[in-house]
Amino acid sequence: MRQRDIIVSRIEMLEARFKILEFMVRRGSPLSEYFQTLEESTEILNDIKDMIGREERSPSEMNRQ
């Protein structure tokens, strides 16, 4: 995987967002803030999926049935 470091960094960002969301629920933050953070988290997840999708596939991945 060529972009392993970038992907791992994005996953760590996503983990941090989950902690933020948990904290927001515990303190009773406004729903608008919660949904904004959730939307940002979804964008990070989509970036990770796109990066993984652009990675070259190994022969064993191509021949899965």
Side-chain angles (χ1 to χ4, degrees), residues 31-53:
L31 282 177
S32 60
E33 288 181 27
Y34 181 85
F35 284 120
Q36 177 64 34
T37 304
L38 188 60
E39 185 177 319
E40 293 167 359
S41 301
T42 302
E43 290 174 12
I44 294 170
L45 179 60
N46 288 334
D47 287 345
I48 293 169
K49 287 177 168 179
D50 290 343
M51 282 188 253
I52 291 172

Side-chain angles (χ1 to χ4, degrees), residues 2-59:
R2 292 176 294 149
Q3 299 181 359
R4 182 179 308 271
D5 293 337
I6 296 170
I7 292 171
V8 169
S9 173
R10 294 287 177 141
I11 290 172
E12 289 170 348
M13 286 174 61
L14 192 56
E15 289 175 332
R17 294 285 175 179
F18 288 147
K19 290 179 183 178
I20 290 170
L21 288 170
E22 181 182 354
F23 178 74
M24 292 173 89
V25 168
R26 289 180 189 266
R27 75 168 195 199
S29 294
L31 282 177
S32 60
E33 288 181 27
Y34 181 85
F35 284 120
Q36 177 64 34
T37 304
L38 188 60
E39 185 177 319
E40 293 167 359
S41 301
T42 302
E43 290 174 12
I44 294 170
L45 179 60
N46 288 334
D47 287 345
I48 293 169
K49 287 177 168 179
D50 290 343
M51 282 188 253
I52 291 172
R54 289 190 298 265
E55 288 291 320
E56 293 179 19
R57 294 183 180 263
S58 67

